[in-house]
Structures are given as structure tokens and as C-alpha cells.
Amino acid sequence: MGKKTAIIAEHHNGVLSPVTYELLTLAKRIQESEAGDICFFILGADTEKPVQTLSTRTGEPIHAVCIPGLAQYNGVLYKKALSALFSQTPFDYILAPHSSSGMDYAPALSMALGGSCITGVEDVVRTDGPLCFVRSLFGSKLSARLVADTGPVVMTLEPGALKAFSPEEKSQSPNQVSNQGSIERSVLDITDDNMVYTGTKASPSEGSDLARADVIVSGGRGIRDAQNYKYIEMLAKLFPRSATGGSRPICDYRWIPYSKQVGITGTTVSPKLYVACGISGAPQHVKGMKGAGFIVAVNTDPDAPVFQIADVCIVEDLMEFIPLFIETFTKRRRKEDERNDLGESFLA
Amino acid sequence: MTIMNRMNQVNRINRLYEKGKAMKILVCVKQVMEGESPVRVNDSGKWTSPCASARFEMNPFDTYAVEEALRIRERIPGTLVHTITVGPESSRDTLRRALGMGADEAVHILDHGMGYRPPFLTASWIAAYAKGKGYDLILTGIMSADEMNGQTGPMIAQGLSIPCASAVLYEKPGPNGTHISIEREIEGGARDMFEVTLPCVLTLQTGINSPRYPSLSMVLRSRKKEIAVIPAVAFDEQEPGLRLHSLYSPQKERKGVLLDGTIEEKAEQLMDILAKKALLT
């Protein structure tokens, strides 16, 4: 029989979120310790496109649940549908993304099913005893291994924590006979007046110049005061095609507008160079900028998580370091210019 | 009564109606260690022991919930703001803080347990307390800064069989007290809008407001306020379903280089690195 694992696929406008494939990696890792079946669940009004993509790319069985009233994510409907599905067909592990929706429905779903809930899972490890799920606490300063005694275990997986399952792995899998897994389709005609979707408002970061910049200089709480954001602006000015950004806290403090926020709830950027100044490196920020070609971090705290992903780590106070760097920069530029001038006069 | 007085009275009643029906709000707050405080795994390896220098504060995420409740009370006269916490004796400071900000009443669910407490237990106790007390709205932060679970709010809602919206950045109660319009933040900063039936639970995203500092007069007044204490053992025993196997400092991998030397040398080194990478042009 084995342990059964369900994966709730996440999709927006017909496109699967990348974390869906990372969830499959988590499911396979659980499977290594506790063999059993895996099945994807996709909920929505129209799921045909993501169902086809997922099936071709993973070859895993899929249960597509058509809910006519669920064109947009709706927490009440999701919880209702999922608790009905999993009460009917019990699963031991239910995996969801640690996303705005996953975080919204997972805790209540676990309670509705009489199970347990672990949010923000980053890894699974088998010790001599039970299967342990790993998550971060205290701003990533500590890691915890948690054991669930009561099933089903509803988990949310931190996006980017595990490598996405890739189709190449599929073809190497010996027990994979056909290219596509089975697809089960059902219709669940549920509605709920307790939560009615009325529309979506565009993000304040829409159309921001952050996404197009080659160089981004960002400030965090380390700037200590709104007026010190000028250091960030001064540094950015040294680079052509640059933009200034910031972490969520300094937007929350109203030091800079939300349109400048870099992170999951702001703009996700991948410039050639990203300079993080006074930013500790909260996961929500890091996930929005780790795709940058080259990362420089300036922070007074040598243990700041940002230093784990930076290419160059500078333990200094940005308010001293930035003016000094600008001075060094202008001096060198002047020297280079003088050399060039000399060269030209020589040629002439 | 003069005509002017009569008109003023009518206007006042109209304004009251426009502002909505008075609400009873419960705000759930948690005490956490200040973000900068160092944390250490205790000898059992099962939880933390705060360093002597550790300072405690109200979970920063929850300060937004207290503030939002107070703003609703300012908009809708007659609204009551109650606040509740679960934790040891020392966590009562957090309730004092909420009272100092302006909350009307505070309840402390006293739990002497100093180890890991799964959010399910916290949520079950708060739900058990809130049941039947007529709260229209239960507010809390989107997560706690220390454990970052984000489970307590949604689980309270489930415990009370009422709807919940998380990551809320805007709320406006409807005029007749049956619904609330909300906006919840999704990836990329866009917002989904919903009409939610009251009573409900909202977990608030940071930045929904700018939380106030306690005022001196409020702090003085709050000192005289009685805080109701309920021992956690008074609630039905629940299986937490989850236990902490171990706690440890993660292996820190630094993929990049750490610049050495004086601050001037570091500036020079950074120049060299950026020049070499052709990132200066």
C-alpha cells in the first residue's frame, strides 16, 4: 500500500508556478523513505492547459477538479473543495506551495482533516527514527526538524528550497512506461457566499524601471532613516542604466514607495549587478533578487543571511562605506581621464 | 431643542450609519524576541534559551493588527478592541503594550510551557476562548517574527468555522455589519479583492498602516487596567500532532568572498572586482 502523497499544483492564468515541480521533488524525497503513490491535484474553473503541461512534463497521475466558480483563488472554496476531496480519498502527505494561496489554505485544511501542519518546509531528512521536515526559524538563524505524529501532514514548501523535478529525470525512471500519466477529471460544483471575489488590483510595482535596469542598488533597514536613502541614490548614479530599490520594511515605513520594492511581493529582478545595502536578506527579499548576475552585499552584521548568497560580502556600515567607495571611484575615474588626456596630447 | 440642534443630531445619526455598525474586535498578539537579539539552542536541543541581553517585544506583525483595530474603532464609534495573548507570565508585557496603544481590554492565556508550542495549540485555545463571545472580527499579524509559521490566524478561523483571509492590506466593514470588503496581497504585489461574511479572521500584511507608539497617558491608564488571566490547562486537552525533533544552527555556506582589511582597502578591492567583471561601464 505505502504512503500516499498529494501535491496541490499552483497555476495562474494557465501557467504552472515553478514551485509545482519543486513539490514533486519533495514528494519523491518522501517516497524514497516511505514508498507510495503520488498524485497531483489541480483546482480551477479551467485547468486544461496546466493539466496537459504537467502531465507531459512529469508523467505523474493528475486529478483535475473543475470548479466552475473558481476562476480566481478563493480561500473558502479551496478549503471546502480540498477537505471534501481528501475526506473521500485520504492521503498521508498533502503538499502545497508556501505561496500567498498555499499559506492561506494549508493550516485550516490540516485542521479540517484532523491532521497536522508544517509551513515553510525546506527539506526532508530521514534520521534513525521518524521522517523529519526541516524549516527555518528566528529569521533563518535557526533550523528546526519537525516530526508529525498525526496524519495527514499538510505541508507548504518554501519556493526555491528544493531543485525542481526536471523532465530528464523522468525518462531515466525505469518504471515509467508511458509518456503521460493518468488524468482523472471531475467536476465539483460548489459555491460559498462567505467569500466572494470582486476583482484584482494591479501591483504598484507594475511598469517600474527595476525590471529593465542593468544595475540595481537597494537599501534596507540598515539605512536607519528615510533621508539616508540618498546614499543609495548616490551609489546608483555611478552606474549607467541603474535603478534604486529597497526591501519591504523600508516600504512599510513609507521611506520609499512600494513601486521600488524588490522581493516576492514587489518586483522580481535579475540585473547584471545587484548591490544590497543594509539589507539582512529575508527570504521574501532574497527570492526576488537572487537571479542577479553578480551580488554585492554591505551590512554591519556578519551573520546577515544576505551574505550567504552574495558574491562579494562587505561587513561595514553603508553610511561610511558608500561615500568612501564613491570617492575611490571618482579618484580612479579622474586618474583614468588624465591618462587618456595625456595619451591624446601625445598622439596629437 | 432648536432647529439647528435637531439638524445636528440627525446629521450625527446619519454619519454613524454611514460609518457602519459598532464591532467587537479581538486582536491576537504574541511576544517575541527582538529581531537583533541573539538566539541560542538550549541544552536539551529542543528549544531556545534567550541570552541575558535578549529583549522582548510585541511581534512586529501583530502591531499592525492592534493599529488596524484601533483605526476601525476611530471610524466606527462604539467599537470594542480586545486583545489576547498565549504565553508565560512575561508575555503580559505585550498585552500592556496593546493597552498602551489604546486597546480596551486584555486577556492572557497563561501557558507555563517553555518549549516548542505548535500553532495548533495556540489557535485552539484562542478559538475556545473566543467562541460564543460575539466577536465580529478577529485580527492578527500574518505571521510571528520568530517562528514564521503563519498558521495561528487561519487555524483560529477553522476552529470557529468562520472564513479567513490572510495577507490583508485593506479592510472596510460594510454599513450593516454583515460583511467586510478586503484586499489581500498576492505574489508580485497585486491584490485580490473579496467580500467576506462577518464574523471572520483577517491576518494582516505589514504596511497596511503605520502602527502608533503607546502614548504616555494611555500607558498610565492601562497600568490600572485588570488583565484577565486564564490558565491554558483550563482548556480541553488537545493532541498537538506535531513535535520538535531538534533545533540547530544551520550550516552557513558563503558562496562569495568576504572582503578583508580596512574600509579603504575594501572600497579599492570592490572597485577592482567590479572593473574585472566589466560592471563599471
PDB file of all heavy atoms in Angstrom, chain B residues 236-261:
ATOM      1  N   ASP B 236      -9.744  22.178  27.092  1.00  0.00           N
ATOM      2  CA  ASP B 236      -9.687  20.742  26.818  1.00  0.00           C
ATOM      3  C   ASP B 236      -8.312  20.380  26.277  1.00  0.00           C
ATOM      4  O   ASP B 236      -7.753  21.105  25.455  1.00  0.00           O
ATOM      5  CB  ASP B 236     -10.740  20.366  25.755  1.00  0.00           C
ATOM      6  CG  ASP B 236     -12.142  20.514  26.301  1.00  0.00           C
ATOM      7  OD1 ASP B 236     -12.277  20.585  27.542  1.00  0.00           O
ATOM      8  OD2 ASP B 236     -13.089  20.592  25.492  1.00  0.00           O
ATOM      9  N   GLU B 237      -7.827  19.247  26.712  1.00  0.00           N
ATOM     10  CA  GLU B 237      -6.510  18.834  26.246  1.00  0.00           C
ATOM     11  C   GLU B 237      -6.566  18.460  24.767  1.00  0.00           C
ATOM     12  O   GLU B 237      -7.511  17.823  24.313  1.00  0.00           O
ATOM     13  CB  GLU B 237      -6.022  17.644  27.069  1.00  0.00           C
ATOM     14  CG  GLU B 237      -4.523  17.595  27.144  1.00  0.00           C
ATOM     15  CD  GLU B 237      -4.040  16.506  28.088  1.00  0.00           C
ATOM     16  OE1 GLU B 237      -4.522  16.445  29.237  1.00  0.00           O
ATOM     17  OE2 GLU B 237      -3.183  15.730  27.660  1.00  0.00           O
ATOM     18  N   GLN B 238      -5.573  18.897  24.024  1.00  0.00           N
ATOM     19  CA  GLN B 238      -5.538  18.644  22.581  1.00  0.00           C
ATOM     20  C   GLN B 238      -4.229  17.954  22.239  1.00  0.00           C
ATOM     21  O   GLN B 238      -3.196  18.254  22.822  1.00  0.00           O
ATOM     22  CB  GLN B 238      -5.569  19.973  21.809  1.00  0.00           C
ATOM     23  CG  GLN B 238      -6.791  20.808  22.071  1.00  0.00           C
ATOM     24  CD  GLN B 238      -7.848  20.608  21.010  1.00  0.00           C
ATOM     25  OE1 GLN B 238      -7.762  19.679  20.223  1.00  0.00           O
ATOM     26  NE2 GLN B 238      -8.837  21.471  21.001  1.00  0.00           N
ATOM     27  N   GLU B 239      -4.294  17.047  21.290  1.00  0.00           N
ATOM     28  CA  GLU B 239      -3.067  16.448  20.772  1.00  0.00           C
ATOM     29  C   GLU B 239      -2.431  17.441  19.806  1.00  0.00           C
ATOM     30  O   GLU B 239      -3.070  17.823  18.828  1.00  0.00           O
ATOM     31  CB  GLU B 239      -3.398  15.152  20.027  1.00  0.00           C
ATOM     32  CG  GLU B 239      -3.395  13.916  20.886  1.00  0.00           C
ATOM     33  CD  GLU B 239      -2.091  13.701  21.635  1.00  0.00           C
ATOM     34  OE1 GLU B 239      -1.024  13.895  21.024  1.00  0.00           O
ATOM     35  OE2 GLU B 239      -2.148  13.362  22.831  1.00  0.00           O
ATOM     36  N   PRO B 240      -1.211  17.887  20.066  1.00  0.00           N
ATOM     37  CA  PRO B 240      -0.622  18.876  19.151  1.00  0.00           C
ATOM     38  C   PRO B 240      -0.334  18.306  17.766  1.00  0.00           C
ATOM     39  O   PRO B 240      -0.313  19.037  16.793  1.00  0.00           O
ATOM     40  CB  PRO B 240       0.667  19.292  19.858  1.00  0.00           C
ATOM     41  CG  PRO B 240       0.951  18.231  20.856  1.00  0.00           C
ATOM     42  CD  PRO B 240      -0.341  17.573  21.203  1.00  0.00           C
ATOM     43  N   GLY B 241      -0.138  16.998  17.654  1.00  0.00           N
ATOM     44  CA  GLY B 241       0.056  16.370  16.348  1.00  0.00           C
ATOM     45  C   GLY B 241       1.439  16.572  15.754  1.00  0.00           C
ATOM     46  O   GLY B 241       1.788  15.975  14.753  1.00  0.00           O
ATOM     47  N   LEU B 242       2.202  17.444  16.408  1.00  0.00           N
ATOM     48  CA  LEU B 242       3.476  17.853  15.834  1.00  0.00           C
ATOM     49  C   LEU B 242       4.475  17.981  16.976  1.00  0.00           C
ATOM     50  O   LEU B 242       4.129  18.460  18.053  1.00  0.00           O
ATOM     51  CB  LEU B 242       3.271  19.230  15.199  1.00  0.00           C
ATOM     52  CG  LEU B 242       4.207  19.681  14.105  1.00  0.00           C
ATOM     53  CD1 LEU B 242       4.057  18.772  12.901  1.00  0.00           C
ATOM     54  CD2 LEU B 242       3.863  21.117  13.706  1.00  0.00           C
ATOM     55  N   ARG B 243       5.706  17.520  16.759  1.00  0.00           N
ATOM     56  CA  ARG B 243       6.698  17.782  17.805  1.00  0.00           C
ATOM     57  C   ARG B 243       8.023  18.175  17.192  1.00  0.00           C
ATOM     58  O   ARG B 243       8.309  17.843  16.034  1.00  0.00           O
ATOM     59  CB  ARG B 243       6.815  16.595  18.756  1.00  0.00           C
ATOM     60  CG  ARG B 243       7.538  15.403  18.228  1.00  0.00           C
ATOM     61  CD  ARG B 243       7.243  14.178  19.085  1.00  0.00           C
ATOM     62  NE  ARG B 243       7.012  13.032  18.224  1.00  0.00           N
ATOM     63  CZ  ARG B 243       8.020  12.255  17.793  1.00  0.00           C
ATOM     64  NH1 ARG B 243       9.259  12.491  18.148  1.00  0.00           N
ATOM     65  NH2 ARG B 243       7.768  11.237  16.979  1.00  0.00           N
ATOM     66  N   LEU B 244       8.784  18.869  18.022  1.00  0.00           N
ATOM     67  CA  LEU B 244      10.086  19.329  17.574  1.00  0.00           C
ATOM     68  C   LEU B 244      11.094  18.221  17.824  1.00  0.00           C
ATOM     69  O   LEU B 244      11.254  17.763  18.952  1.00  0.00           O
ATOM     70  CB  LEU B 244      10.467  20.595  18.356  1.00  0.00           C
ATOM     71  CG  LEU B 244      11.711  21.304  17.884  1.00  0.00           C
ATOM     72  CD1 LEU B 244      11.432  22.068  16.611  1.00  0.00           C
ATOM     73  CD2 LEU B 244      12.214  22.262  18.953  1.00  0.00           C
ATOM     74  N   HIS B 245      11.743  17.771  16.778  1.00  0.00           N
ATOM     75  CA  HIS B 245      12.738  16.717  16.902  1.00  0.00           C
ATOM     76  C   HIS B 245      14.063  17.311  17.367  1.00  0.00           C
ATOM     77  O   HIS B 245      14.687  16.839  18.293  1.00  0.00           O
ATOM     78  CB  HIS B 245      12.896  16.014  15.550  1.00  0.00           C
ATOM     79  CG  HIS B 245      13.971  14.983  15.509  1.00  0.00           C
ATOM     80  ND1 HIS B 245      15.278  15.285  15.230  1.00  0.00           N
ATOM     81  CD2 HIS B 245      13.930  13.640  15.732  1.00  0.00           C
ATOM     82  CE1 HIS B 245      15.996  14.169  15.270  1.00  0.00           C
ATOM     83  NE2 HIS B 245      15.199  13.164  15.572  1.00  0.00           N
ATOM     84  N   SER B 246      14.488  18.370  16.721  1.00  0.00           N
ATOM     85  CA  SER B 246      15.731  19.032  17.124  1.00  0.00           C
ATOM     86  C   SER B 246      15.802  20.428  16.544  1.00  0.00           C
ATOM     87  O   SER B 246      15.095  20.761  15.585  1.00  0.00           O
ATOM     88  CB  SER B 246      16.943  18.220  16.660  1.00  0.00           C
ATOM     89  OG  SER B 246      16.821  17.932  15.282  1.00  0.00           O
ATOM     90  N   LEU B 247      16.651  21.209  17.158  1.00  0.00           N
ATOM     91  CA  LEU B 247      16.836  22.606  16.760  1.00  0.00           C
ATOM     92  C   LEU B 247      18.336  22.838  16.643  1.00  0.00           C
ATOM     93  O   LEU B 247      19.093  22.385  17.494  1.00  0.00           O
ATOM     94  CB  LEU B 247      16.237  23.490  17.865  1.00  0.00           C
ATOM     95  CG  LEU B 247      15.953  24.943  17.566  1.00  0.00           C
ATOM     96  CD1 LEU B 247      14.869  25.067  16.513  1.00  0.00           C
ATOM     97  CD2 LEU B 247      15.495  25.644  18.847  1.00  0.00           C
ATOM     98  N   TYR B 248      18.757  23.496  15.602  1.00  0.00           N
ATOM     99  CA  TYR B 248      20.205  23.677  15.424  1.00  0.00           C
ATOM    100  C   TYR B 248      20.496  24.913  14.582  1.00  0.00           C
ATOM    101  O   TYR B 248      19.617  25.425  13.890  1.00  0.00           O
ATOM    102  CB  TYR B 248      20.814  22.429  14.770  1.00  0.00           C
ATOM    103  CG  TYR B 248      20.161  22.052  13.460  1.00  0.00           C
ATOM    104  CD1 TYR B 248      20.725  22.439  12.237  1.00  0.00           C
ATOM    105  CD2 TYR B 248      18.964  21.323  13.437  1.00  0.00           C
ATOM    106  CE1 TYR B 248      20.109  22.097  11.038  1.00  0.00           C
ATOM    107  CE2 TYR B 248      18.345  20.988  12.248  1.00  0.00           C
ATOM    108  CZ  TYR B 248      18.924  21.377  11.054  1.00  0.00           C
ATOM    109  OH  TYR B 248      18.312  21.055   9.869  1.00  0.00           O
ATOM    110  N   SER B 249      21.752  25.373  14.656  1.00  0.00           N
ATOM    111  CA  SER B 249      22.171  26.475  13.791  1.00  0.00           C
ATOM    112  C   SER B 249      22.525  25.896  12.442  1.00  0.00           C
ATOM    113  O   SER B 249      23.320  24.965  12.370  1.00  0.00           O
ATOM    114  CB  SER B 249      23.397  27.174  14.370  1.00  0.00           C
ATOM    115  OG  SER B 249      23.084  27.655  15.640  1.00  0.00           O
ATOM    116  N   PRO B 250      21.915  26.403  11.384  1.00  0.00           N
ATOM    117  CA  PRO B 250      22.185  25.806  10.078  1.00  0.00           C
ATOM    118  C   PRO B 250      23.617  26.069   9.635  1.00  0.00           C
ATOM    119  O   PRO B 250      24.229  27.062  10.011  1.00  0.00           O
ATOM    120  CB  PRO B 250      21.190  26.508   9.160  1.00  0.00           C
ATOM    121  CG  PRO B 250      20.812  27.759   9.865  1.00  0.00           C
ATOM    122  CD  PRO B 250      20.989  27.524  11.321  1.00  0.00           C
ATOM    123  N   GLN B 251      24.131  25.141   8.878  1.00  0.00           N
ATOM    124  CA  GLN B 251      25.454  25.311   8.264  1.00  0.00           C
ATOM    125  C   GLN B 251      25.374  26.505   7.337  1.00  0.00           C
ATOM    126  O   GLN B 251      24.534  26.537   6.457  1.00  0.00           O
ATOM    127  CB  GLN B 251      25.793  24.071   7.431  1.00  0.00           C
ATOM    128  CG  GLN B 251      26.107  22.849   8.243  1.00  0.00           C
ATOM    129  CD  GLN B 251      27.548  22.815   8.673  1.00  0.00           C
ATOM    130  OE1 GLN B 251      28.431  23.146   7.898  1.00  0.00           O
ATOM    131  NE2 GLN B 251      27.794  22.433   9.913  1.00  0.00           N
ATOM    132  N   LYS B 252      26.223  27.476   7.576  1.00  0.00           N
ATOM    133  CA  LYS B 252      26.165  28.640   6.695  1.00  0.00           C
ATOM    134  C   LYS B 252      27.192  28.491   5.589  1.00  0.00           C
ATOM    135  O   LYS B 252      28.371  28.389   5.835  1.00  0.00           O
ATOM    136  CB  LYS B 252      26.412  29.910   7.499  1.00  0.00           C
ATOM    137  CG  LYS B 252      25.151  30.274   8.242  1.00  0.00           C
ATOM    138  CD  LYS B 252      25.158  31.694   8.751  1.00  0.00           C
ATOM    139  CE  LYS B 252      23.913  31.902   9.591  1.00  0.00           C
ATOM    140  NZ  LYS B 252      24.206  32.420  10.912  1.00  0.00           N
ATOM    141  N   GLU B 253      26.684  28.456   4.389  1.00  0.00           N
ATOM    142  CA  GLU B 253      27.595  28.380   3.260  1.00  0.00           C
ATOM    143  C   GLU B 253      27.698  29.762   2.661  1.00  0.00           C
ATOM    144  O   GLU B 253      26.690  30.380   2.344  1.00  0.00           O
ATOM    145  CB  GLU B 253      27.050  27.420   2.200  1.00  0.00           C
ATOM    146  CG  GLU B 253      27.127  25.979   2.628  1.00  0.00           C
ATOM    147  CD  GLU B 253      26.258  25.111   1.740  1.00  0.00           C
ATOM    148  OE1 GLU B 253      26.285  25.307   0.511  1.00  0.00           O
ATOM    149  OE2 GLU B 253      25.552  24.252   2.288  1.00  0.00           O
ATOM    150  N   ARG B 254      28.938  30.226   2.558  1.00  0.00           N
ATOM    151  CA  ARG B 254      29.114  31.515   1.910  1.00  0.00           C
ATOM    152  C   ARG B 254      29.653  31.224   0.525  1.00  0.00           C
ATOM    153  O   ARG B 254      30.711  30.634   0.381  1.00  0.00           O
ATOM    154  CB  ARG B 254      30.105  32.332   2.744  1.00  0.00           C
ATOM    155  CG  ARG B 254      30.240  33.738   2.269  1.00  0.00           C
ATOM    156  CD  ARG B 254      30.998  34.561   3.279  1.00  0.00           C
ATOM    157  NE  ARG B 254      30.152  34.940   4.388  1.00  0.00           N
ATOM    158  CZ  ARG B 254      30.596  35.213   5.608  1.00  0.00           C
ATOM    159  NH1 ARG B 254      31.876  35.103   5.869  1.00  0.00           N
ATOM    160  NH2 ARG B 254      29.768  35.583   6.559  1.00  0.00           N
ATOM    161  N   LYS B 255      28.897  31.595  -0.474  1.00  0.00           N
ATOM    162  CA  LYS B 255      29.362  31.243  -1.815  1.00  0.00           C
ATOM    163  C   LYS B 255      30.339  32.295  -2.350  1.00  0.00           C
ATOM    164  O   LYS B 255      31.130  32.023  -3.206  1.00  0.00           O
ATOM    165  CB  LYS B 255      28.178  31.023  -2.766  1.00  0.00           C
ATOM    166  CG  LYS B 255      27.430  32.272  -3.150  1.00  0.00           C
ATOM    167  CD  LYS B 255      26.493  31.985  -4.335  1.00  0.00           C
ATOM    168  CE  LYS B 255      26.001  33.288  -4.882  1.00  0.00           C
ATOM    169  NZ  LYS B 255      25.828  33.449  -6.254  1.00  0.00           N
ATOM    170  N   GLY B 256      30.277  33.500  -1.799  1.00  0.00           N
ATOM    171  CA  GLY B 256      31.124  34.566  -2.319  1.00  0.00           C
ATOM    172  C   GLY B 256      32.365  34.810  -1.477  1.00  0.00           C
ATOM    173  O   GLY B 256      32.713  34.020  -0.612  1.00  0.00           O
ATOM    174  N   VAL B 257      33.046  35.920  -1.746  1.00  0.00           N
ATOM    175  CA  VAL B 257      34.242  36.275  -0.982  1.00  0.00           C
ATOM    176  C   VAL B 257      33.902  37.334   0.058  1.00  0.00           C
ATOM    177  O   VAL B 257      33.059  38.199  -0.161  1.00  0.00           O
ATOM    178  CB  VAL B 257      35.381  36.825  -1.876  1.00  0.00           C
ATOM    179  CG1 VAL B 257      35.975  35.727  -2.718  1.00  0.00           C
ATOM    180  CG2 VAL B 257      34.892  37.978  -2.735  1.00  0.00           C
ATOM    181  N   LEU B 258      34.577  37.233   1.207  1.00  0.00           N
ATOM    182  CA  LEU B 258      34.426  38.227   2.261  1.00  0.00           C
ATOM    183  C   LEU B 258      35.623  39.160   2.172  1.00  0.00           C
ATOM    184  O   LEU B 258      36.766  38.705   2.263  1.00  0.00           O
ATOM    185  CB  LEU B 258      34.382  37.526   3.617  1.00  0.00           C
ATOM    186  CG  LEU B 258      34.296  38.413   4.847  1.00  0.00           C
ATOM    187  CD1 LEU B 258      32.926  39.045   4.958  1.00  0.00           C
ATOM    188  CD2 LEU B 258      34.592  37.593   6.104  1.00  0.00           C
ATOM    189  N   LEU B 259      35.371  40.433   1.939  1.00  0.00           N
ATOM    190  CA  LEU B 259      36.476  41.363   1.780  1.00  0.00           C
ATOM    191  C   LEU B 259      37.144  41.630   3.128  1.00  0.00           C
ATOM    192  O   LEU B 259      36.477  41.755   4.147  1.00  0.00           O
ATOM    193  CB  LEU B 259      36.007  42.679   1.156  1.00  0.00           C
ATOM    194  CG  LEU B 259      35.421  42.582  -0.259  1.00  0.00           C
ATOM    195  CD1 LEU B 259      35.249  43.970  -0.867  1.00  0.00           C
ATOM    196  CD2 LEU B 259      36.281  41.714  -1.171  1.00  0.00           C
ATOM    197  N   ASP B 260      38.464  41.703   3.089  1.00  0.00           N
ATOM    198  CA  ASP B 260      39.285  41.855   4.280  1.00  0.00           C
ATOM    199  C   ASP B 260      39.969  43.211   4.295  1.00  0.00           C
ATOM    200  O   ASP B 260      40.067  43.852   3.253  1.00  0.00           O
ATOM    201  CB  ASP B 260      40.370  40.761   4.243  1.00  0.00           C
ATOM    202  CG  ASP B 260      40.275  39.882   5.464  1.00  0.00           C
ATOM    203  OD1 ASP B 260      39.492  40.240   6.372  1.00  0.00           O
ATOM    204  OD2 ASP B 260      40.966  38.855   5.493  1.00  0.00           O
ATOM    205  N   GLY B 261      40.449  43.614   5.454  1.00  0.00           N
ATOM    206  CA  GLY B 261      41.277  44.818   5.524  1.00  0.00           C
ATOM    207  C   GLY B 261      40.525  46.019   6.052  1.00  0.00           C
ATOM    208  O   GLY B 261      39.448  45.895   6.635  1.00  0.00           O
TER     209      GLY B 261
END
